[in-house]
Amino acid sequence: MRLLLFLVFSFSSIHLYSQESGYSVSGAVVDEFEQPLFGAVVTILNSNHVTTTNQDGRYVLKNLTKSDHLIRVSYMGYQPVTKEINLNHRLDGENIRFDFSLTEQIEGLQEVNLIGKSHKRKVEEKGFAVNLIETKEASLRNVQTNELLNTAVGVKIRQNGGLGSEVNYSLNGLSGSSIRIFIDGIPISTYGSSFSLNSIPTSMIKNIEVYKGVVPGYLSDDALGGAINIVLNKTAINNINASISYGSFNTTQASVNGVYRFKNSGFTVKASAFHNYSDNDYKVSGRSVLVAGIGGEQTPITARRFNDAYRSTGGMFQVGYTDVKWADQFLIGFTASDDYKEVQHGAFMTITPYKDRFLESDALLANFIYQKKDVIIKGLDVNVNALYGKRNRAVNDTVAWAYSWNGDRAIDFRGDEYQYTWGSQQEGGPTLAKINRKVASIRTGLAYSLSNHHKVLLNHVYSGVDREDSDALRSVLENTFQGTRDLHKNIFSLTYELSVLEERLKTSVFGKHYQQKTTSTDPAIEQDANGNDIIVDEVVSSTNKFEGYGFAASYAITPDVTLLTSAEKAIRLPNETEVFGNDGDNVVANSTIKPEVSDNYNLGFRFGRFRIKEHEFTISTNLFTRNIKDRIGLPIETSLNVDNELIVYVNQGNAKSKGIDAQINYSYKNNLGFNFNISRFDLTTETATGTEFDIPNTPFLTMNSGLRYSFKNLIQKKSRLNLFYTLYFTDDFSYLTSQGSNTVGDDFFKVPEQFVQDLGLSYVFPNNNLVMSFDVKNIFDKPVYDNLSVQKPGRAFYLKLNYSINNL
């Protein structure tokens, strides 16, 4: 209540605080691809007015006199821009906005004196085990957000198939719901499956923050193993960007986004939309891709997936005000999305795949954003981000015929086509199940800078789901007395940040309080004292309250050598799917599942950025350990349950992950770029008798490498041709529990080591408005597998066009 009263008071008081005398000029500085430029120098010529842009590319110049001025913006590697501003006819105290779009210099830089640090470096030197991924180059290519994440050190994307298939994110061996995904700090689960990282184009993303093990307080969620925060572009410079790509497996991806801000009023309109489609009819083979004949004879074949199409469409629309006196951002709008996904098989690729089983999802969410720095008093910042709306999901499975991998109906040993006795593709009977949800999420943050060295942050995240299940194929009585599923979660965090010794020592200490309540209500028929049937509600409810805490610290031993360390007692509460189940994903409910707790530790170094003439390089390492109690995951696979279609999340027991990450980045003359990273860890658990063994279905060694080279003035002046090469290596792993010294038959369950190589190029035309790119994925067409040996696409080709108009 006090927080609410404070916010109301803040909103009502914003217009009342005093303004500084003179004129104020503000705006945004971006590059030709609408990416904000952090640290650009903004100067009023022939005066002492000078400032630099913040991480969002924004600047403010205050106390300007009533006259003509020349304002100049410069940034390393870009052509400086100068504009004239006339303040003679402006109203006193009026805030004038000037936006700048800088163009990269084509000529190579021979000598650069670097002052200050980039936003990326500042984030990565705060003490957390964090990587900041920039999307500037990826937005020009046919690279999905998940592919971009998969190149980060310690990150492994676990995907069961092609575009639109189920995805799990693994950080240092911990995966699933141990890793929380956010969009601007809002849990992505709120948006539903129809608005996912598969569908968000990289052109909409400013950067991606990847926190491993220890998660800062401002994200305020039960992210036990780490967090991935997608930071969307927030620049209010007028622009429009559109892209379309087409490639293998009849894959089409299109997106458009734009911003228009009225200079005088600050009224801003933002809109974006996307559409994705793929047949996902890539070739598969292996132990389960067989055709059964007369007499039970089984013939291995190479087949095309035939029931795996995916389509997703969505958009976001917002209106409000940006960069005005009473708000940096005040936006209201809605997000809408829907998707359609055919289901080829269950958790495993079995001998009889599915046909005509599919899922449909949609979501309609209202959203609200308010951000303001220096509210009422200097140093007090407010940030509110909220969503509320409905999500729906439907499962359609009514076909009883069995099918083979050639797409024809399966035959029995007599040669006759047959049907499943349960009347559907998945065991359990035909279904037209629907899950309707009302969802809400609000993230509130207050930050107060006591001085340049001390800062206090208070954050709160609320997430709520009210869920109702139904099935049109059930009886009227069953649907009339259908149960409900409710989940509500509150997480509070308090953080204190300290920066001393001329910013060489930076520390962050935080505490978190977790609350979660789950309720399952199911009607049941009982008899009263007179023997009459009555309807009663059977309620299963549980409440969990936990406390967590942690810290992060960094110490700059030299300006280019930094020690980083962090630790956290982290809590992970069971999510909706793990508690209530989900028919669409073949997941059974488990109301008795317990939260998991982990003690996480990181210790690392960052060396660089070192510069030797025209060579630059950075090296970083991180040692980590995770001690987990009551780890949540799928049952440990054995030869007895390895072909089950249905899965259930359980507490596997205690587990431990320990290992090392390392990466190196190198560049030469701003033309050549090279990066390499490696992650090696152990992930073990213990049985009740104390026997320790590796957790199955987990790759313990991964490596990624990338090479980029830019040709300038090729074919046309002021054009650029960028060449890209990427290598992914995943060591072999088994999805069967180790049987000790008896290894007979283990190879049957082993996923072999995998080398996957991609090539790409992008051509930037001289006006910088049009970019054409061509990508070849898995150029040598190597077999690629993932979770439970599900096969992923082979070689694929994609062509993409990207067109943008800046400074509308």
Side-chain angles (χ1 to χ4, degrees):
M1 180 58 70
R2 290 182 179 178
L3 178 59
L4 178 61
L5 291 175
F6 174 78
L7 289 175
V8 172
F9 174 74
S10 299
F11 278 101
S12 64
S13 303
I14 287 171
H15 290 286
L16 302 181
Y17 66 89
S18 62
Q19 303 294 323
E20 297 187 46
S21 61
Y23 294 94
S24 176
V25 176
S26 64
V29 180
V30 299
D31 63 16
E32 62 266 42
F33 307 116
E34 299 309 315
Q35 296 297 313
L37 295 176
F38 172 72
V41 179
V42 185
T43 307
I44 299 295
L45 297 182
N46 301 318
S47 77
N48 59 356
H49 293 282
V50 61
T51 186
T52 57
T53 55
N54 65 12
Q55 65 186 47
D56 295 321
R58 295 181 178 178
Y59 73 91
V60 177
L61 291 167
K62 297 181 179 180
N63 299 327
L64 300 184
T65 59
K66 179 179 286 191
S67 65
D68 294 335
H69 298 281
L70 289 177
I71 182 171
R72 186 178 189 269
V73 177
S74 60
Y75 189 74
M76 179 192 67
Y78 288 77
Q79 295 282 0
V81 174
T82 302
K83 289 184 179 182
E84 182 179 359
I85 55 176
N86 189 331
L87 303 182
N88 289 314
H89 305 291
R90 299 284 187 171
L91 298 175
D92 289 340
E94 183 179 352
N95 182 24
I96 300 97
R97 181 183 176 99
F98 275 85
D99 296 323
F100 293 84
S101 179
L102 304 188
T103 302
E104 189 175 5
Q105 288 179 340
I106 301 303
E107 296 79 11
L109 298 177
Q110 299 302 318
E111 184 67 31
V112 174
N113 294 319
L114 203 59
I115 301 175
K117 297 181 180 180
S118 67
H119 173 59
K120 172 181 171 67
R121 183 170 177 180
K122 284 189 173 183
V123 170
E124 294 181 344
E125 289 184 353
K126 283 188 174 182
F128 296 92
V130 57
N131 294 104
L132 191 139
I133 304 172
E134 297 174 320
T135 62
K136 176 180 175 179
E137 290 180 348
S139 65
L140 306 179
R141 302 176 55 204
N142 197 80
V143 177
Q144 296 180 44
T145 306
N146 282 330
E147 293 178 283
L148 190 60
L149 277 168
N150 206 32
T151 63
V153 60
V155 180
K156 180 65 179 175
I157 304 299
R158 314 295 306 279
Q159 187 163 3
N160 289 2
L163 184 67
S165 60
E166 182 186 0
V167 175
N168 278 316
Y169 301 86
S170 175
L171 300 182
N172 296 147
L174 303 189
S175 59
S177 292
S178 294
I179 310 303
R180 294 300 193 201
I181 314 297
F182 302 88
I183 298 179
D184 284 335
I186 291 289
I188 197 173
S189 57
T190 306
Y191 291 86
S193 60
S194 56
F195 197 85
S196 65
L197 299 193
N198 273 327
S199 56
I200 302 175
T202 51
S203 60
M204 292 174 57
I205 299 172
K206 173 186 172 184
N207 55 53
I208 305 173
E209 302 167 344
V210 181
Y211 290 93
K212 289 169 281 189
V214 182
V215 179
Y218 86 90
L219 288 176
S220 302
D221 208 344
D222 54 331
L224 176 135
I228 298 171
N229 186 33
I230 306 298
V231 182
L232 299 181
N233 284 320
K234 299 180 181 64
T235 56
I237 189 168
N238 297 342
N239 71 90
I240 186 169
N241 178 277
S243 67
I244 186 168
S245 72
Y246 182 79
S248 299
F249 322 122
N250 195 26
T251 300
T252 301
Q253 295 180 279
S255 69
V256 60
N257 55 80
V259 176
Y260 193 85
R261 180 186 185 274
F262 295 85
K263 281 189 176 182
N264 293 334
S265 64
F267 184 75
T268 304
V269 179
K270 292 187 174 186
S272 60
F274 62 84
H275 175 75
N276 303 292
Y277 178 82
S278 180
D279 288 335
N280 283 323
D281 56 345
Y282 57 91
K283 293 181 180 180
V284 293
S285 59
R287 67 181 182 88
S288 299
V289 185
L290 312 168
V291 173
I294 298 176
E297 180 183 1
Q298 294 182 336
T299 304
I301 65 170
T302 297
R304 285 193 177 273
R305 295 170 75 96
F306 53 85
N307 187 56
D308 202 26
Y310 171 72
R311 183 199 69 242
S312 69
T313 304
M316 182 181 295
F317 179 80
Q318 295 175 313
V319 295
Y321 292 86
T322 58
D323 292 336
V324 292
K325 294 178 182 178
W326 50 275
D328 296 332
Q329 286 198 83
F330 177 87
L331 298 168
I332 57 174
F334 66 88
T335 300
S337 60
D338 80 332
D339 70 357
Y340 166 85
K341 179 70 175 75
E342 295 174 347
V343 183
Q344 184 72 91
H345 49 73
F348 293 85
M349 291 179 64
T350 53
I351 296 175
T352 51
Y354 298 159
K355 187 170 185 180
D356 294 326
R357 176 180 170 90
F358 62 88
L359 314 174
E360 293 179 300
S361 304
D362 64 80
L364 182 61
L365 305 166
N367 58 68
F368 169 76
I369 296 174
Y370 178 79
Q371 294 179 359
K372 183 68 178 77
K373 294 183 180 295
D374 299 329
V375 176
I376 305 178
I377 58 175
K378 185 174 179 60
L380 179 61
D381 304 337
V382 175
N383 188 326
V384 180
N385 197 331
L387 285 173
Y388 176 79
K390 294 182 178 180
R391 293 195 345 243
N392 305 302
R393 195 177 199 202
V395 182
N396 189 308
D397 189 348
T398 59
V399 176
W401 292 104
Y403 288 86
S404 293
W405 276 103
N406 58 8
D408 299 330
R409 290 180 181 175
I411 59 175
D412 58 21
F413 70 96
R414 298 187 186 90
D416 298 326
E417 297 177 352
Y418 67 93
Q419 294 181 316
Y420 296 119
T421 56
W422 49 84
S424 60
Q425 298 294 288
Q426 181 180 292
E427 295 181 16
T431 181
L432 292 174
K434 290 186 177 180
I435 300 177
N436 298 322
R437 299 176 175 93
K438 294 180 180 178
V439 297
S441 180
I442 179 169
R443 178 173 66 90
T444 306
L446 292 175
Y448 182 61
S449 297
L450 288 77
S451 69
N452 292 333
H453 306 293
H454 305 271
K455 189 174 184 179
V456 178
L457 302 94
L458 176 63
N459 295 90
H460 167 246
V461 168
Y462 164 79
S463 300
V465 178
D466 295 336
R467 167 176 155 177
E468 293 185 359
D469 297 14
S470 63
D471 193 329
L473 296 185
R474 292 180 180 176
S475 67
V476 174
L477 181 64
E478 287 177 302
N479 280 323
T480 301
F481 300 103
Q482 188 62 47
T484 61
R485 307 287 183 263
D486 299 334
L487 185 149
H488 301 276
K489 180 168 64 176
N490 284 281
I491 300 176
F492 302 85
S493 70
L494 179 64
T495 305
Y496 170 68
E497 295 181 352
L498 173 67
S499 176
V500 293
L501 301 178
E502 297 180 343
E503 295 192 351
R504 292 175 62 190
L505 176 63
K506 299 175 184 177
T507 62
S508 176
V509 181
F510 56 87
K512 298 179 182 180
H513 176 71
Y514 306 82
Q515 297 176 353
Q516 178 173 285
K517 183 177 182 179
T518 61
T519 305
S520 301
T521 304
D522 293 293
I525 299 177
E526 294 185 359
Q527 289 186 338
D528 60 16
N530 299 321
N532 299 318
D533 290 341
I534 59 173
I535 304 296
V536 298
D537 286 338
E538 292 183 348
V539 179
V540 178
S541 179
S542 67
T543 301
N544 292 300
K545 294 184 179 180
F546 289 90
E547 276 70 41
Y549 46 85
F551 80 93
S554 68
Y555 181 73
I557 301 171
T558 72
D560 292 312
V561 179
T562 305
L563 171 67
L564 309 163
T565 184
S566 58
E568 181 181 10
K569 177 189 176 184
I571 313 296
R572 211 275 276 179
L573 306 168
N575 65 24
E576 175 199 352
T577 298
E578 293 162 345
V579 177
F580 303 138
N582 191 319
D583 290 340
D585 294 327
N586 298 5
V587 181
V588 179
N590 182 358
S591 61
T592 62
I593 195 167
K594 297 182 293 184
E596 57 181 339
V597 182
S598 180
D599 295 325
N600 300 333
Y601 305 94
N602 296 299
L603 177 64
F605 285 89
R606 177 187 172 96
F607 303 92
R609 179 165 53 179
F610 295 114
R611 182 177 178 85
I612 304 174
K613 293 185 178 181
E614 294 168 332
H615 304 267
E616 290 185 0
F617 62 92
T618 304
I619 303 173
S620 60
T621 63
N622 183 54
L623 294 164
F624 61 88
T625 181
R626 319 278 186 253
N627 299 310
I628 310 161
K629 179 182 178 182
D630 294 324
R631 180 178 189 265
I632 297 174
L634 299 177
I636 303 299
E637 301 299 337
T638 68
S639 57
L640 299 178
N641 64 1
V642 75
D643 284 329
N644 287 349
E645 294 182 358
L646 302 178
I647 57 177
V648 60
Y649 286 93
V650 299
N651 293 109
Q652 296 175 333
N654 298 340
K656 186 173 185 178
S657 174
K658 58 182 179 179
I660 184 172
D661 293 338
Q663 66 176 338
I664 181 171
N665 294 282
Y666 166 80
S667 65
Y668 174 71
K669 276 190 175 181
N670 207 28
N671 286 339
L672 174 66
F674 170 78
N675 65 78
F676 172 80
N677 64 64
I678 182 172
S679 180
R680 175 68 176 92
F681 64 91
D682 296 317
L683 181 60
T684 59
T685 188
E686 289 186 359
T687 65
T689 60
T691 303
E692 186 176 83
F693 59 89
D694 293 335
I695 291 179
N697 198 38
T698 303
F700 299 115
L701 174 62
T702 59
M703 290 186 288
N704 301 312
S705 183
L707 186 65
R708 173 189 61 82
Y709 192 82
S710 296
F711 295 92
K712 299 178 179 179
N713 298 315
L714 186 69
I715 303 177
Q716 297 172 291
K717 287 186 177 181
K718 296 185 178 181
S719 67
R720 294 198 307 278
L721 175 67
N722 302 309
L723 302 180
F724 305 91
Y725 168 80
T726 309
L727 168 67
Y728 307 90
F729 170 78
T730 304
D731 200 11
D732 61 8
F733 62 96
S734 175
Y735 58 93
L736 184 72
T737 304
S738 173
Q739 306 298 304
S741 58
N742 181 15
T743 60
V744 177
D746 281 4
D747 288 343
F748 187 75
F749 303 100
K750 182 171 288 189
V751 178
E753 68 178 23
Q754 301 168 66
F755 282 97
V756 180
Q757 301 173 71
D758 298 345
L759 279 177
L761 63 86
S762 66
Y763 185 78
V764 183
F765 287 82
N767 59 9
N768 288 309
N769 287 347
L770 180 63
V771 181
M772 180 177 65
S773 66
F774 180 72
D775 287 87
V776 185
K777 308 293 177 67
N778 194 355
I779 55 179
F780 295 109
D781 201 23
K782 296 291 186 180
V784 186
Y785 307 90
D786 211 326
N787 287 305
L788 306 176
S789 201
V790 174
Q791 191 166 349
K792 299 200 294 185
R795 183 166 49 227
F797 304 89
Y798 300 95
L799 178 67
K800 180 178 181 179
L801 295 175
N802 189 97
Y803 186 77
S804 60
I805 303 175
N806 302 326
N807 291 320
L808 288 173

